Amino acid sequence: MTAAAAAQPTIAVTHLGCEKNRVDTEHMLGLLVQAGYGVDANEELADYVIVNTCSFIESAREESVRTLVELAEAKKKIVITGCLAQHFKDELLEEIPEAVALVGTGDYNKIVDVIQLAEAGERVKEVSEEPTYIADETVPRYRTTAEGTAYLRVAEGCNYRCAFCIIPHLRGDQRSRSIESIVAEAQQLAAEGVQELVLISQITTNYGVDLYGKPQLAELLYALGEVDIPWIRMHYAYPTGLTPKVIQAIKEVPNVLPYLDLPLQHSHPEVLRAMNRPWQGRVNDDIIYQIKAALPEAVMRTTFIVGFPGETEEQFEHLVEFVQRHEFDHVGVFTYSAEEGTPGATMPNHIPQSIMDARRDRLMQAQQSISLKRNQAEVGKVVDVLIEQVNPGTGGDDWAIGSVCPRCGWSGLPKRTSHAGTTRQSPH
């Protein structure tokens, strides 16, 4: 290490929020390492702590603020980046005197300049009013995931205006990367030994609309099918974008897993209309039936919001029946969170938290028996899995925590397996 490099401050990064935010963190790390900065996981030893924050819902904001306050009490020089910085760009520097810089969601590529200005004694605010930036394959990246898995962001931002969501305010409108750029990064990751790519964006099934004038997800999947990576998983598959062409691509491209994360949010058409979702009526039902017919082995995960303003008991029962009818592999349930600046926050007939909690618990109880049934149906099957770590001293016969199944996408599967190369064959 040169004397100049040794004189550089040490920087720690704390990541909060979603995996899209994680990619921002990885690019900031890559840029800092390229510039010669020391990056340390230990906040106590670091000169600066970058906190990449989340601000999607109230609980996420509370976690972000709690982290910032703890670091401030430890007298750390804090660089606040990410969604909270974008959301409260006019308040945070005043509220947290220990913060030396504020960096928005579309400005993480400027992190080296920000640190240099902070070192010179400036208090920096680098937050674009409307985020427009998205990193491509030429931007350095220091991955923080397990060696075998990487997130590949295909687009950023969102053009939908759902009544409960502030993502467009935090991340801007949709901006897609070119197919060539995405494939180039996929090839780089393959060369690093990545075995699974997870395609992420706010609306992955709308990929390419802004760039090509029409959705190009099917074309992207066919192009990625030529990359030497065994598994490609797609997250956030909005039903409107699951066209027959896309479903056919999932079926035909051998390394694309039939795993669909469907953010349905609700089943009742009146609630969906109130949410300003980009589909209504029985579109959800129709899409699910089409998927099951074309991809009988497909694994479907979804999330729902209960307690949206005005949701009646009858509408909630419609959702329970919907879940019981379709028997999803995995279901997540959130109680509605009124976010300032969204249409939902000013709607009448907000549901008391106690009722929302009871509805969430009831829906999860309905899913429990379904999950048990679907898990029991897997007993005795043999599947390929990705091993992220081997436990030494066990003779190699134990799964490590973090073993990932391509079918369910979850880790921490049962132990006692036999070897089969880089993946292992195991009873599911």
Side-chain angles (χ1 to χ4, degrees):
M1 181 182 292
T2 65
Q8 297 275 47
T10 301
I11 301 169
V13 179
T14 294
H15 163 78
L16 303 172
C18 67
E19 302 310 337
K20 295 178 287 295
N21 213 31
R22 178 181 295 279
V23 174
D24 296 348
T25 295
E26 293 178 344
H27 281 302
M28 285 191 286
L29 285 169
L31 288 163
L32 290 165
V33 169
Q34 182 188 63
Y37 287 96
V39 178
D40 198 307
N42 190 333
E43 296 169 355
E44 294 182 4
L45 300 178
D47 299 301
Y48 290 85
V49 180
I50 297 172
V51 184
N52 200 8
T53 58
C54 180
S55 190
F56 181 50
I57 57 177
E58 184 177 358
S59 59
R61 286 194 294 276
E62 289 173 352
E63 181 186 17
S64 294
V65 170
R66 185 166 57 250
T67 301
L68 294 172
V69 169
E70 289 172 356
L71 290 168
E73 290 175 347
K75 307 300 182 184
K76 289 296 175 183
K77 290 183 280 189
I78 308 167
V79 177
I80 308 174
T81 69
C83 289
L84 196 74
Q86 190 72 39
H87 197 174
F88 299 103
K89 54 183 174 290
D90 297 324
E91 297 94 347
L92 276 177
L93 288 180
E94 182 178 340
E95 294 291 332
I96 304 179
E98 294 80 1
V100 298
L102 206 61
V103 180
T105 59
D107 302 278
Y108 55 89
N109 57 313
K110 304 169 186 173
I111 190 64
V112 172
D113 290 340
V114 168
I115 295 295
Q116 290 174 346
L117 290 170
E119 275 288 278
E122 292 189 35
R123 208 159 183 233
V124 189
K125 180 180 175 182
E126 194 67 71
V127 183
S128 299
E129 194 66 30
E130 294 291 335
T132 58
Y133 177 75
I134 180 170
D136 61 19
E137 77 283 4
T138 66
V139 180
R141 182 176 174 189
Y142 189 98
R143 287 196 292 117
T144 60
T145 52
E147 183 179 352
T149 300
Y151 293 95
L152 180 54
R153 181 165 51 197
V154 302
E156 177 62 280
C158 183
N159 288 343
Y160 290 156
R161 296 296 184 265
C162 299
F164 54 81
C165 184
I166 61 169
I167 288 295
H169 174 65
L170 301 179
R171 292 275 173 176
D173 289 333
Q174 179 173 304
R175 47 204 185 272
S176 302
R177 295 170 57 186
S178 70
I179 291 176
E180 293 77 13
S181 171
I182 295 167
V183 170
E185 185 172 6
Q187 290 169 336
Q188 292 172 4
L189 293 167
E192 295 173 10
V194 168
Q195 299 293 299
E196 178 184 39
L197 281 182
V198 184
L199 307 183
I200 56 172
S201 71
Q202 269 69 37
I203 309 176
T204 304
T205 38
N206 270 16
Y207 164 75
V209 170
D210 55 303
L211 193 61
Y212 299 105
K214 59 182 179 180
Q216 292 286 284
L217 178 59
E219 288 76 8
L220 175 62
L221 293 179
Y222 284 116
L224 288 171
E226 301 299 318
V227 179
D228 187 20
I229 287 182
W231 296 339
I232 297 175
R233 191 188 306 277
M234 182 175 63
H235 276 197
Y236 312 118
Y238 277 59
T240 45
L242 285 172
T243 62
K245 188 176 181 181
V246 170
I247 293 174
Q248 188 65 23
I250 296 171
K251 186 176 182 178
E252 290 181 353
V253 181
N255 56 349
V256 173
L257 300 175
Y259 174 96
L260 295 169
D261 191 327
L262 307 162
L264 299 179
Q265 309 304 3
H266 212 281
S267 63
H268 199 283
E270 291 180 16
V271 177
L272 290 171
R273 276 193 289 270
M275 288 179 168
N276 198 31
R277 298 296 278 172
W279 66 88
Q280 295 166 357
R282 296 189 62 82
V283 172
N284 290 354
D285 281 302
D286 293 342
I287 287 292
I288 293 166
Y289 290 136
Q290 289 174 32
I291 293 169
K292 288 181 175 180
L295 303 167
E297 296 301 313
V299 170
M300 286 187 280
R301 178 188 183 276
T302 190
T303 51
F304 297 109
I305 296 173
V306 296
F308 189 78
E311 180 191 55
T312 65
E313 192 65 32
E314 180 185 5
Q315 290 166 344
F316 171 70
E317 291 296 337
H318 186 280
L319 178 57
V320 174
E321 189 274 334
F322 179 82
V323 167
Q324 291 171 331
R325 181 169 71 254
H326 288 300
E327 296 189 331
F328 297 98
D329 295 271
H330 308 294
V331 168
V333 182
F334 298 88
T335 58
Y336 170 71
S337 176
E339 299 303 317
E340 184 179 353
T342 64
T346 58
M347 287 181 176
N349 303 318
H350 280 246
I351 310 297
Q353 188 65 46
S354 59
I355 294 178
M356 291 197 291
D357 290 343
R359 289 179 180 176
R360 176 196 59 207
D361 293 346
R362 168 121 187 268
L363 192 57
M364 289 306 296
Q365 285 174 355
Q367 177 62 26
Q368 268 192 333
S369 59
I370 296 169
S371 295
L372 177 62
K373 173 184 172 182
R374 296 191 72 81
N375 287 341
Q376 287 175 332
E378 299 301 311
V379 173
K381 293 183 180 179
V382 175
V383 297
D384 289 333
V385 297
L386 173 63
I387 300 299
E388 295 179 343
Q389 178 186 0
V390 175
N391 291 327
T394 63
D397 289 332
D398 282 357
W399 286 51
I401 298 301
S403 306
V404 178
C405 172
R407 172 173 157 73
C408 69
W410 283 25
S411 57
L413 298 176
K415 293 189 176 182
R416 307 306 303 172
T417 70
S418 58
H419 289 286
T422 56
T423 60
R424 292 191 220 173
Q425 302 289 328
S426 169
H428 197 249

